Amino acid sequence: MTTPGKFLSLEGLEGVGKTTNLAFIKERVEAAGYELVVTREPGGTELGEALRDVLLHSHHSMQAETEMLIMAASRSEHLASVILPALADGKWVLSDRYLDASLAYQGGGRGIGVQTVRHVHQLAGVTRLPDKTWLLDMPVNVGRERIQKRGKLDRIETENVAFFERCREAYLAVATAEPERIDVIDASQSIAEVQAAIDKSLAPLLQRID
């Protein structure tokens, strides 16, 4: 019988260093001998990637509830088509954002409410939570300074400071409510310090394969 894999997710606002640290986690998990599927949200499936384009690059305005429902639809497909089958096959899954992102962005940032977003996702069949989530956290203004250097911003990245402050507040509230699952990492530290904190958190999950 195949032992189910572990489900990991990395969260945080724009500019916190998710890309760099995804690569670091991937390296650590694979070095321990596990097969790893790295995926992202919105996206992860053919349908999800199409919806990602609508969410991030559409110039059309949309209601907050519409945005939430598109995210829930994409996530439901992602979970059923990619995440759960990989875990059942004994693979590990590392997702760049997952449900916590909607709790923060639509629940907090858009003002829909965290519990409403949770309920909608439950109706969509999104009931599997990650085994471990790392929330990379830093002051909003620091992250915004970083993304301004990237060039063209997507639809979400162009939101105002107040929006991202609400997102951050929601992220931290969820982390406070689920301390065993979510580890908050101070992303304003050096990369070495951030990765040392992630490594310390990840180590208990890894059973080295000889």
Side-chain angles (χ1 to χ4, degrees):
M1 182 176 176
T2 302
T3 302
K6 296 288 186 184
F7 180 18
L8 313 174
S9 66
L10 190 61
E11 297 281 355
L13 300 179
E14 282 69 18
V16 297
K18 286 193 293 86
T19 301
T20 298
N21 289 294
L22 275 168
F24 173 78
I25 296 167
K26 178 178 185 292
E27 177 186 335
R28 284 291 190 264
V29 172
E30 291 181 339
Y34 295 102
E35 186 174 354
L36 179 69
V37 174
V38 180
T39 186
R40 68 177 184 176
E41 291 197 348
T45 65
E46 185 175 351
L47 173 61
E49 292 298 325
L51 293 175
R52 179 187 181 89
D53 191 57
V54 171
L55 286 163
L56 300 185
H57 304 297
S58 172
H59 296 294
H60 300 292
S61 62
M62 66 178 72
Q63 297 296 314
E65 291 79 7
T66 302
E67 185 178 277
M68 173 186 64
L69 290 168
I70 293 174
M71 281 300 314
S74 175
R75 186 164 291 121
S76 177
E77 187 73 15
H78 188 209
L79 180 64
S81 300
V82 176
I83 297 172
L84 292 180
L87 294 174
D89 198 32
K91 300 173 184 176
W92 285 41
V93 176
L94 172 59
S95 185
D96 179 354
R97 300 193 192 280
Y98 186 61
L99 174 60
D100 298 308
S102 279
L103 301 181
Y105 282 77
Q106 286 80 51
R110 300 297 185 202
I112 295 175
V114 167
Q115 293 309 316
T116 298
V117 175
R118 284 191 190 279
H119 181 62
V120 168
H121 278 80
Q122 288 171 352
L123 292 176
V126 181
T127 56
R128 176 64 156 92
L129 293 177
D131 298 296
K132 177 60 68 177
T133 296
W134 294 281
L135 171 59
L136 300 179
D137 177 63
M138 66 167 52
V140 169
N141 64 311
V142 178
R144 284 175 66 85
E145 288 174 5
R146 290 184 178 182
I147 66 171
Q148 294 294 336
K149 299 175 183 177
R150 296 178 184 171
K152 187 176 181 180
L153 305 180
D154 64 36
R155 190 178 70 87
I156 302 296
E157 290 171 339
T158 58
E159 287 292 342
N160 58 35
V161 172
F163 170 83
F164 288 111
E165 291 288 3
R166 293 192 298 272
C167 292
R168 185 188 184 199
E169 183 179 342
Y171 257 140
L172 292 173
V174 173
T176 298
E178 300 183 56
E180 292 187 0
R181 177 174 70 86
I182 305 175
D183 286 349
V184 180
I185 308 293
D186 180 1
S188 63
Q189 303 176 98
S190 68
I191 293 176
E193 290 173 314
V194 169
Q195 294 182 344
I198 293 173
D199 215 16
K200 181 179 180 181
S201 173
L202 178 60
L205 298 175
L206 298 175
Q207 298 293 327
R208 299 286 178 178
I209 297 176
D210 297 325

